[in-house]
Amino acid sequence: MIYCRIAMLVAVSITSVPYGLIADTSVTKDLVTKTISKPLTLEQVMADPDWIGNAPSNPYFSDDGKTIYYQQKETGSINRHTWQVNLDDKSTRKVVDKELIKLDQGRAVYNSNNSLKAFSSQGDIWVKYLSSGDYRQLTRTNAIESRPQFIGNDVVAFYLNSDLYSIDLNTGLISQVAQFKLSDDPDIKKTDDYLSKQQTRYFDYIQKQQKNAEDRKQRQEQLQAATDLEANKPWYLGSKVEISTTSLSPDGRYLLLGTYAKTKQLGKPDNMPRFVTEDGYVKNNKVRPLVGTYQPRNESLYLLDLVNHSKTPIDLSDLETIDEDPLADIKRLTAKRNGKEYQPRKGERGTAIFKWNATGGIDWSEDASKVAFMLYSDDNKDRWIASLEVKNQKLKSIHHLRDGAWVNDWDFNDFGWLTDNETLYYTSEETGYSHLYLSKGRKTSALTKGRYIVNNVRLSAAGNYLYYRANKKHPGIYEIYRVTLSDNSTEAVTDLGGLNSFNLANDGEQLVVSHSTATMPTELYHVSLKENKTITQLTNTVSEKFKEMDWVTPEFIEVPSSQVDQPIYSRLYKPKDFDATKADKYPAVIFIHGAGYLQNAHQGWSGYFREFMFHTFLTQQGYIVLDMDYRASKGYGRDWRTAIYRQMGTPEVIDLRDGADWLAANTNVNRDKVGIYGGSYGGFLTFMALFTEPEAFAAGASLRPVTDWAHYNHGYTSNILNTPEIDPEAFENSSPIEFAEGLNKPLLIAHGMVDDNVFFKDTVRLVQRLIELEKTQYFETAIYPIEPHGFTEPSSWLDEYKRIYYLFEEHLK
């Protein structure tokens, strides 16, 4: 068994000496007496992260740009508190609870002359008069009013559920702008069938009742016409639909409506039992459906004229390639494989507006003459940005993006109108890298170009600048830039290195930047572009204990790829006393980040902060660690991302093997002593590496792993592998359970039992497969009864990483 010494190891007191000193009772006296500067323990690394300090989050400016607000987690609690920094004297204070109700959390909207702002706070609508600083509460209910917007300067509209109301600030009148009823219009009587006609013809009583109803209706209409005081008529949408999109025009006249056909469930849900419960009984939870059982829904779009009460369907049939089937060739091969005849897809593909929040995916021009929206096809091979002119209901396709693999909808979906009401900005990966474009009439121009990516585009309030984030200097360094729209010139706003994100002040000349480096968590900086450009650090939240630790600063390296003409960007961790000529070669560990589409070899603070600390711990125990942004990772362009299409686990494993070879050739590593570990997608790749390249790695730890992609979710999996019914070959080529026979090296499998992302069932099914393959001597399983996908308890983190460490000590040294 691979853990023959674990019982002995656990029995030793491991809090008084560094872990590396107790890995083996036969270690030499020199090793036992060796001291390490600021040695880490796994207890410290996996402790509640409050000990690091709690970084500021969600920063935003006050209306006048003189104060910055941010949130910070309270030590020892899940609660978060709001703080403010005065930019004049840099003083910081905690915002008291009674003041919180009047904070907009950076989500306020402003009227057209910038005299008022409106926002939702704790489910009610507020207005602030910017000249006086006075606040006015517009609603106070137990319901939740949300998404306020101005109609002109003096009317505030807001949503209550799916219905839309407005308040006239001058008169206080509350009006119902639009009411939606998911039922049939009661005024439309179905009296044309035979029985209904027969009843009317036979009975005077029925005729009288019908006449009375018609008389009442006519009289009500006469009164409404005479007084003009009746609320707008309800919109009867029918009982077979549900509302998916509502967006009101700035002038309050038009509303873009999207509906889906109603369905009881979007797919067949799976089950997840909870064994540790308050009452002692096992509780079964319904969780997400599996890929392929979820049926993408087609969104029907309408333009509603709220004045004339007219509803016009938006015809998308002229959008480029909407009637094509990009999966036709794959479907044809699958049909042949199954001995069936290929059935071509009929009609247009389904589409839906891409919404990353309540209002995303739609943008109205300021003059309300047109509305732009971003659509994705149900197979995610096409993206369209289209605009609709509301007066003539003319649809115009502004931009079409086709990707034979899948269109990237995670990062590059910025778009919106400039203040001229004619020009649209947007980001697109059409060149292979996400860049920023302008489109006006028939003319399109690129504002950025090169082998880097652009995202997080923001238009300044005055409409004179477009700010964006890009990794121009290095794929792992993200700085802030801006384009001056008067001449399309670009300038760098920051030169901080590391990882940076930003929020804008209303004046368009100030930013609050969230900045981090590889060894220091996020802090806030104030950037002023007025006159003399200045940048000032505002927060210092990292604990002294963390700063005192002797962290290993990773080297940012480029590992040559054996397959493509593009390096594999990576972080390299070496011991402080690294000796390239040492006779005894180093053991090495390769960390595999999760998510697939995620960047971890950047030069900022990593979401994998525990792993960062664990890697310093490993270097103190004599290991070299490599953290690779394998193909599929974020930040390196379209082709790097889509290299895994229909073959997950193939190019990535080649990259990991290239990494191990590079370590042996360049860092004095014993090529036979390279281990691997990772969670989620990293756990999946650990399996694929050990199963398909069993001689390339000495041992591996697979955490919360996907073992069979047919059991993962639809949104993520169908992008990359299509669906099992359409493309079974892709799933069979990409699922570790298909290759389990190849295991011949030590493997640790660790999984939380209440993981509602990658189900614990994944591990159960693979373990049964390994049992049947008689792989007993090669694997062990660790289960965590109360843990979801991302562990919550320090004790669970510690247990898991002790096991990983023991695995490496046993088989890499």
Side-chain angles (χ1 to χ4, degrees):
M1 296 295 291
I2 67 172
Y3 293 127
C4 56
R5 285 188 281 177
I6 284 184
M8 176 275 293
L9 287 167
V10 173
V12 179
S13 173
I14 57 177
T15 58
S16 58
V17 293
Y19 276 94
L21 307 186
I22 61 164
D24 194 322
T25 55
S26 63
V27 292
T28 66
K29 182 178 180 180
D30 289 340
L31 181 58
V32 173
T33 58
K34 181 180 179 181
T35 59
I36 301 174
S37 175
K38 300 287 184 181
L40 277 172
T41 65
L42 282 181
E43 283 84 357
Q44 186 67 72
V45 169
M46 298 301 158
D48 188 308
D50 276 359
W51 79 271
I52 301 172
N54 291 305
S57 62
N58 305 319
Y60 64 96
F61 281 90
S62 60
D63 305 308
D64 59 10
K66 295 181 179 180
T67 302
I68 290 174
Y69 296 94
Y70 65 89
Q71 291 185 320
Q72 187 179 26
K73 180 184 175 296
E74 179 184 346
T75 299
S77 170
I78 63 171
N79 294 324
R80 307 184 72 82
H81 291 287
T82 301
W83 294 75
Q84 70 177 55
V85 181
N86 185 312
L87 294 178
D88 290 332
D89 59 12
K90 306 303 183 292
S91 60
T92 301
R93 78 173 183 93
K94 185 178 178 180
V95 178
V96 297
D97 287 348
K98 67 180 181 180
E99 296 175 350
L100 292 176
I101 192 70
K102 295 181 179 180
L103 295 185
D104 58 48
Q105 307 299 322
R107 295 189 293 268
V109 294
Y110 296 82
N111 64 355
S112 55
N113 64 14
N114 287 312
S115 61
L116 299 170
K117 79 170 182 180
F119 59 96
S120 175
S121 180
Q122 298 187 24
D124 292 313
I125 305 299
W126 290 71
V127 162
K128 179 182 179 181
Y129 294 80
L130 298 179
S131 60
S132 65
D134 293 334
Y135 288 85
R136 176 179 171 186
Q137 186 173 1
L138 301 185
T139 67
R140 183 181 296 171
T141 71
N142 290 326
I144 297 177
E145 294 91 22
S146 62
R147 295 172 56 191
Q149 74 176 81
F150 279 96
I151 300 174
N153 283 315
D154 302 312
V155 176
V156 177
F158 63 90
Y159 286 86
L160 177 58
N161 299 318
S162 294
D163 293 336
L164 188 58
Y165 295 82
S166 69
I167 299 179
D168 189 314
L169 299 180
N170 294 321
T171 65
L173 179 67
I174 299 176
S175 302
Q176 185 150 32
V177 178
Q179 180 185 23
F180 298 103
K181 291 184 175 291
L182 300 180
S183 60
D184 295 327
D185 189 339
D187 289 337
I188 301 177
K189 303 293 185 181
K190 296 182 179 180
T191 58
D192 56 349
D193 60 279
Y194 179 80
L195 290 180
S196 297
K197 291 179 179 178
Q198 186 186 57
Q199 291 292 92
T200 301
R201 179 164 51 88
Y202 281 166
F203 302 109
D204 293 341
Y205 169 78
I206 297 295
Q207 295 176 24
K208 185 178 180 180
Q209 294 299 313
Q210 291 174 348
K211 182 179 184 302
N212 289 343
E214 183 62 28
D215 289 347
R216 283 193 294 268
K217 179 183 175 183
Q218 289 181 0
R219 182 55 182 157
Q220 187 65 32
E221 291 175 348
Q222 290 170 356
L223 291 172
Q224 291 175 15
T227 60
D228 194 29
L229 295 179
E230 185 71 15
N232 289 332
K233 296 179 182 178
W235 297 89
Y236 290 94
L237 304 179
S239 59
K240 296 181 179 180
V241 302
E242 56 188 61
I243 297 170
S244 52
T245 300
T246 52
S247 180
L248 182 68
S249 64
D251 62 1
R253 172 162 183 172
Y254 297 97
L255 186 138
L256 183 68
L257 172 71
T259 64
Y260 287 133
K262 185 175 291 185
T263 180
K264 291 184 178 179
Q265 59 186 33
L266 297 179
K268 183 180 179 181
D270 211 330
N271 299 291
M272 184 183 71
R274 291 179 178 268
F275 290 92
V276 181
T277 60
E278 290 185 4
D279 61 9
Y281 287 87
V282 175
K283 181 179 180 181
N284 186 63
N285 289 12
K286 291 292 185 183
V287 286
R288 61 154 175 82
L290 309 185
V291 59
T293 69
Y294 170 89
Q295 296 299 319
R297 296 186 292 173
N298 182 43
E299 187 172 22
S300 299
L301 300 178
Y302 304 90
L303 183 69
L304 307 187
D305 185 331
L306 302 180
V307 173
N308 296 325
H309 201 77
S310 62
K311 174 182 169 186
T312 305
I314 298 175
D315 184 4
L316 304 177
S317 60
D318 288 337
L319 293 178
E320 302 93 320
T321 71
I322 195 170
D323 57 350
E324 293 182 4
D325 186 356
L327 293 170
D329 290 342
I330 293 174
K331 291 178 181 177
R332 191 174 287 108
L333 289 173
T334 300
K336 184 178 180 181
R337 174 183 178 180
N338 295 330
K340 297 180 180 179
E341 184 177 347
Y342 164 65
Q343 299 295 327
R345 178 172 183 163
K346 297 180 180 179
E348 299 170 5
R349 282 176 290 160
T351 60
I353 290 179
F354 179 73
K355 293 186 287 294
W356 53 94
N357 56 38
T359 58
I362 304 168
D363 195 54
W364 288 87
S365 60
E366 287 186 4
D367 64 2
S369 64
K370 53 183 75 70
V371 58
F373 42 87
M374 181 179 288
L375 295 163
Y376 280 80
S377 59
D378 58 15
D379 51 33
N380 211 20
K381 308 292 185 186
D382 290 86
R383 185 194 80 176
W384 299 270
I385 301 174
S387 69
L388 182 75
E389 295 184 13
V390 295
K391 288 186 177 180
N392 58 18
Q393 284 87 50
K394 182 179 180 181
L395 185 71
K396 176 185 177 183
S397 178
I398 293 181
H399 181 256
H400 172 229
L401 184 63
R402 159 67 64 90
D403 196 311
W406 74 96
V407 177
N408 186 352
D409 60 355
W410 289 307
D411 272 312
F412 312 124
N413 44 41
D414 298 301
F415 81 107
W417 294 104
L418 300 187
T419 54
D420 65 359
N421 299 306
E422 297 292 336
T423 306
L424 199 76
Y425 70 86
Y426 62 88
T427 51
S428 171
E429 260 190 329
E430 61 198 67
T431 65
Y433 292 85
S434 172
H435 283 294
L436 180 58
Y437 298 85
L438 294 180
S439 177
K440 182 177 182 180
R442 297 183 178 180
K443 182 181 178 181
T444 298
S445 56
L447 296 182
T448 62
K449 61 180 179 180
R451 293 174 66 87
Y452 60 89
I453 65 168
V454 169
N455 61 14
N456 294 0
V457 182
R458 298 291 180 269
L459 179 66
S460 61
N464 51 343
Y465 299 113
L466 280 173
Y467 286 83
Y468 62 88
R469 193 176 78 138
N471 56 354
K472 293 184 183 183
K473 290 164 38 175
H474 181 279
I477 298 174
Y478 287 82
E479 302 285 2
I480 313 304
Y481 302 85
R482 74 175 180 182
V483 177
T484 301
L485 291 170
S486 59
D487 59 8
N488 291 350
S489 61
T490 298
E491 63 178 314
V493 174
T494 63
D495 189 20
L496 291 167
L499 204 60
N500 301 286
S501 59
F502 72 99
N503 288 78
L504 275 175
N506 289 335
D507 62 12
E509 298 287 349
Q510 296 183 91
L511 296 85
V512 54
V513 175
S514 300
H515 167 72
S516 68
T517 66
T519 58
M520 289 297 289
T522 299
E523 300 289 3
L524 299 183
Y525 288 72
H526 174 238
V527 178
S528 176
L529 301 176
K530 301 175 181 179
E531 299 175 6
N532 298 324
K533 296 181 180 179
T534 60
I535 183 164
T536 307
Q537 183 171 346
L538 299 176
T539 62
N540 185 10
T541 59
V542 180
S543 71
E544 291 304 315
K545 185 173 184 178
F546 180 86
K547 293 176 183 177
E548 290 171 359
M549 294 291 181
D550 192 16
W551 302 113
V552 171
T553 301
E555 300 174 29
F556 300 97
I557 64 168
E558 300 178 16
V559 175
S561 168
S562 62
Q563 278 205 331
V564 296
D565 186 22
Q566 189 170 340
I568 309 163
Y569 288 91
S570 307
R571 291 184 175 197
L572 177 67
Y573 298 79
K574 294 192 296 191
K576 295 281 187 178
D577 59 353
F578 172 74
D579 183 356
T581 63
K582 189 176 73 166
D584 293 331
K585 293 180 179 294
Y586 291 91
V589 171
I590 296 179
F591 170 64
I592 313 170
H593 69 68
Y597 188 68
L598 179 148
Q599 187 175 17
N600 202 50
H602 57 69
Q603 297 188 22
W605 184 247
S606 172
Y608 290 98
F609 59 89
R610 291 182 181 88
E611 287 73 8
F612 159 76
M613 295 187 289
F614 182 55
H615 297 161
T616 287
F617 169 81
L618 288 177
T619 64
Q620 291 180 353
Q621 313 308 315
Y623 291 87
I624 289 176
V625 182
L626 188 65
D627 174 357
M628 306 186 72
D629 275 344
Y630 50 83
R631 275 175 287 177
S633 295
K634 180 178 179 179
Y636 307 100
R638 179 193 60 207
D639 294 345
W640 197 257
R641 168 177 62 85
T642 61
I644 62 170
Y645 179 57
R646 303 187 68 226
Q647 54 171 359
M648 296 167 80
T650 297
E652 310 99 296
V653 169
I654 293 172
D655 293 345
L656 297 175
R657 187 187 64 198
D658 287 345
D661 292 342
W662 185 91
L663 287 172
N666 295 275
T667 60
N668 199 22
V669 160
N670 184 339
R671 184 61 183 85
D672 295 329
K673 298 295 182 181
V674 179
I676 55 175
Y677 86 102
S680 194
Y681 199 95
F684 151 70
L685 285 181
T686 298
F687 282 146
M688 291 298 280
L690 292 184
F691 295 173
T692 66
E693 293 277 352
E695 303 311 315
F697 305 98
S702 182
L703 323 175
R704 52 193 182 277
V706 174
T707 67
D708 185 348
W709 286 108
H711 287 259
Y712 197 51
N713 68 32
H714 185 88
Y716 180 92
T717 316
S718 64
N719 276 350
I720 307 171
L721 300 180
N722 303 311
T723 64
E725 293 75 18
I726 290 174
D727 199 355
E729 183 179 357
F731 283 81
E732 292 163 12
N733 289 340
S734 303
S735 295
I737 200 167
E738 300 280 351
F739 304 97
E741 204 167 55
L743 179 65
N744 63 13
K745 296 292 176 59
L747 169 65
L748 167 66
I749 308 170
H751 210 142
M753 295 181 69
V754 290
D755 187 340
D756 59 1
N757 181 1
V758 180
F759 300 152
F760 179 63
K761 175 182 71 171
D762 266 55
T763 284
V764 173
R765 294 178 71 245
L766 181 68
V767 166
Q768 179 61 28
R769 177 71 176 142
L770 292 172
I771 291 171
E772 294 180 3
L773 290 170
E774 299 179 1
K775 298 292 183 179
T776 307
Q777 69 271 37
Y778 298 121
F779 78 96
E780 291 287 351
T781 306
I783 64 172
Y784 298 88
I786 64 168
E787 293 296 354
H789 194 62
F791 284 10
T792 60
E793 298 301 315
S795 57
S796 300
W797 282 107
L798 179 60
D799 181 273
E800 183 177 53
Y801 275 76
K802 279 182 179 178
R803 294 175 188 275
I804 298 169
Y805 175 62
Y806 295 153
L807 173 74
F808 293 154
E809 286 288 281
E810 178 74 17
H811 297 286
L812 303 185
K813 282 190 174 179

